Amino acid sequence: MTTATTKIWAPEIETMPREELRELQSRRLREQVAYVHERSGFYRRKFDEIGLEPGDVQGIDDLRKLPFISKDELRKSQDETPPFGTHVCAPQQEIAWLPSTSGTTGTPLLLPRTAEDIETWTELNARAYTAVGIGADDIYQNILTYNWIYGGMALHWGAQRAGATVINAGMGNTEKQMWALKYMGTTAFHATPSYLIHLGNRFAESGETDRLKVRSIIAGGEVGMAGAEAKQRLRTLFPDVRTLADVGGVTDVGTMIWAECQEMNGGHLAEDSVICEILDVDSGEPVAPGEVGELVFTDVVTKGAPLLRYKVNDLTRVDEERCACGRTLARIPDGILGRADDMLIVRAANVYPSAIDEIVKSFDEVRGEYQVIIDKPQDLDVMTLRLERAQDLSEEAEAELVSRVDQRVKMAFGSRADIEILDPGTLPTFVYKAKRIIDKRKGESEQDAIAKAEEQQRG
């Protein structure tokens, strides 16, 4: 391992030739398959159902022999054998930390982590922060939750390992976040894309943007940071920032499974530790190189509750071309495009949440908050895009803005949308997992989105 002030934290892994990386993945996969079979009744049952023995998996080419795992199966395991479930591979005596998922889509799932797991992911997170450019010269403000779930604490340890001075800010309390960013001399901070826009707008309104010393901004936890339009919008709000990095992971698996380097051309995957497949949503077969598909992760390093062939329902594509930074690890060039079950079909066109986000962030006249309503009052789908004006507009200027936004929507999706321009503060503000798309065809309501935003503010 090199020091945190160098460009690459673990060059022996991050610049490894692809063929050697496959050999490392194969060895770790063999070991992990044998480990879960020995330690977990859940995995033994899954293997027995398809007649699979651990020795049948000799390398990464045999990955497809393994059965898929879903979150519903893990919840069932936990409910039937509380508190941990039979999928957990370590006894309670070896569990050093017990975070959980947020529970936004069901019962919170416990994520038992051993002391070895904490060390493993602290190193992986330090590696990610170093790729972004964060090290000993940084004061890092962590604006992610420390309550119950995995992210805030694990990333705190990773940033410390990378050498940064860490402010454990947590989520919410915008006034205090702004005070800390100014008074403590924060040089780097980490938040969701929606909250970054919210903070940027608040600083612009207060006229205090020039008091900031921020050099690096990291976004994760939502769709909407990887694209050029999103980054340009943030550069407008934070003009002195050097690096705007998209990072991400899956709480059930690990924190920063991918992170952009300072080239900012897509997040590098931690392929040595979490093997990534991109599969067709319907068939489950691998898509062609560079095509969009569903992410499926196989964790080959975690010992507490490792997940093999775990379907996370996120859509993306992967690029294995060597990066200019020198890293050979594959990249997610477009970030997460959305969830497989969030992809909307409007008048036969695929509408990805990330594409809507890119359109909104390309217009300086509107703020970052928005809302999309999909309805079918008669025979045809109707999409309404609600935006908040960022500045006073004349009647003519507002009409011209509506026309330009509508043209971008039609160009992207092949059909127009009803565009509504609202006053600032009209739409709910989210700090985590924004609920901006409401599909009334599925019985969703605007009140649900407002209730979720209010719950986040209370939490």
Side-chain angles (χ1 to χ4, degrees):
M1 183 186 73
T2 59
T3 64
T5 54
T6 59
K7 188 176 182 181
I8 299 180
W9 180 262
E12 68 281 5
I13 296 292
E14 297 177 75
T15 63
M16 181 180 287
R18 297 288 303 174
E19 194 55 43
E20 291 182 23
L21 176 62
R22 284 181 62 84
E23 293 174 4
L24 175 62
Q25 289 173 320
S26 293
R27 175 174 62 79
R28 288 182 169 177
L29 178 62
R30 288 194 301 272
E31 294 170 353
Q32 191 76 306
V33 168
Y35 175 80
V36 301
H37 185 267
E38 177 187 351
R39 294 268 194 137
S40 164
F42 172 87
Y43 278 106
R44 283 194 297 274
R45 177 182 58 78
K46 293 280 289 184
F47 289 6
D48 288 346
E49 286 175 353
I50 59 173
L52 182 73
E53 295 291 333
D56 295 336
V57 179
Q58 289 297 305
I60 195 169
D61 291 334
D62 296 323
L63 189 60
R64 292 168 63 190
K65 294 179 181 178
L66 293 169
F68 292 117
I69 293 174
S70 70
K71 181 173 284 189
D72 287 342
E73 289 180 285
L74 301 180
R75 287 202 188 101
K76 183 179 179 182
S77 166
Q78 180 176 288
D79 290 343
E80 291 179 347
T81 313
F84 300 145
T86 59
H87 61 283
V88 173
C89 294
Q92 178 267 315
Q93 293 82 358
E94 294 179 15
I95 302 300
W97 186 32
L98 197 57
S100 69
T101 63
S102 62
T104 53
T105 59
T107 303
L109 181 68
L110 301 184
L111 305 170
R113 295 295 184 254
T114 67
E116 182 180 347
D117 294 335
I118 294 171
E119 173 62 22
T120 295
W121 281 98
T122 297
E123 274 291 299
L124 287 170
N125 292 333
R127 189 166 98 184
Y129 279 123
T130 302
V132 172
I134 293 174
D137 293 333
D138 284 294
I139 298 174
Y140 163 81
Q141 190 164 329
N142 188 3
I143 311 180
L144 296 175
T145 184
Y146 282 73
N147 296 331
W148 295 104
I149 71 171
Y150 195 23
M153 198 69 246
L155 296 174
H156 181 118
W157 291 329
Q160 281 185 327
R161 180 68 59 86
T165 300
V166 180
I167 303 170
N168 57 319
M171 291 195 333
N173 198 342
T174 298
E175 293 298 328
K176 191 165 185 179
Q177 300 285 5
M178 294 175 69
W179 170 82
L181 283 161
K182 294 178 293 185
Y183 183 80
M184 295 188 181
T186 300
T187 61
F189 66 100
H190 192 157
T192 62
S194 55
Y195 196 62
L196 289 171
I197 297 289
H198 177 65
L199 274 175
N201 284 327
R202 288 291 301 275
F203 273 110
E205 290 163 4
S206 69
E208 296 182 300
T209 304
D210 59 356
R211 293 186 60 185
L212 299 178
K213 298 180 180 179
V214 176
R215 299 189 297 259
S216 301
I217 292 178
I218 309 164
E222 293 174 354
V223 169
M225 180 60 176
E229 301 288 3
K231 289 179 177 176
Q232 183 55 47
R233 179 63 180 272
L234 283 170
R235 287 198 184 281
T236 300
L237 293 170
F238 300 98
D240 295 329
V241 165
R242 178 186 64 203
T243 303
L244 293 166
D246 177 54
V247 304
V250 178
T251 300
D252 317 22
V253 180
T255 37
M256 288 205 281
I257 298 175
W258 67 89
E260 281 192 290
C261 65
Q262 292 176 73
E263 297 293 328
M264 290 180 286
N265 58 1
H268 289 279
L269 287 157
E271 295 180 277
D272 57 301
S273 301
V274 181
I275 300 171
C276 169
E277 298 175 88
I278 307 293
L279 306 180
D280 182 87
V281 173
D282 297 320
S283 70
E285 294 297 313
V287 301
E291 288 191 359
V292 173
E294 180 182 3
L295 266 173
V296 176
F297 287 128
T298 294
D299 181 347
V300 292
V301 293
T302 298
K303 299 304 178 186
L307 300 179
L308 309 187
R309 293 206 93 194
Y310 188 55
K311 302 188 76 170
V312 300
N313 210 22
D314 286 336
L315 298 171
T316 192
R317 68 183 183 92
V318 167
D319 186 347
E320 294 185 357
E321 184 178 350
R322 187 185 185 98
C323 181
C325 73
R327 291 174 177 83
T328 54
L329 298 173
R331 291 173 291 110
I332 298 181
D334 308 315
I336 298 300
L337 298 170
R339 293 179 62 79
D341 54 4
D342 279 350
M343 185 188 74
L344 303 166
I345 299 178
V346 180
R347 299 192 183 186
N350 292 339
V351 177
Y352 292 104
S354 60
I356 298 172
D357 200 83
E358 283 283 281
I359 290 171
V360 173
K361 289 181 172 61
S362 69
F363 291 94
D364 293 335
E365 298 96 328
V366 300
R367 296 163 60 92
E369 294 299 342
Y370 62 92
Q371 193 175 69
V372 179
I373 310 292
I374 310 294
D375 203 355
K376 193 173 184 178
Q378 296 181 10
D379 296 328
L380 294 176
D381 297 323
V382 176
M383 181 163 67
T384 301
L385 176 57
R386 294 174 174 171
L387 307 169
E388 292 183 349
R389 63 175 63 84
Q391 54 196 262
D392 291 334
L393 297 171
S394 67
E395 187 174 327
E396 294 79 8
E398 185 168 307
E400 193 265 341
L401 173 62
V402 166
S403 176
R404 286 191 290 125
V405 175
D406 187 37
Q407 288 174 7
R408 282 290 305 274
V409 170
K410 188 173 182 179
M411 185 182 301
F413 308 126
S415 61
R416 62 175 300 275
D418 293 332
I419 312 298
E420 297 180 3
I421 307 297
L422 310 175
D423 291 331
T426 303
L427 298 174
T429 298
F430 296 91
V431 295
Y432 182 61
K433 293 187 177 180
K435 177 64 176 175
R436 294 199 178 98
I437 298 177
I438 299 167
D439 194 342
K440 290 187 174 181
R441 299 171 303 181
K442 299 179 180 178
E444 296 177 350
S445 71
E446 298 166 54
Q447 288 71 29
D448 291 339
I450 293 171
K452 181 176 178 180
E454 290 176 345
E455 181 183 355
Q456 288 184 3
Q457 299 297 341
R458 290 194 300 270

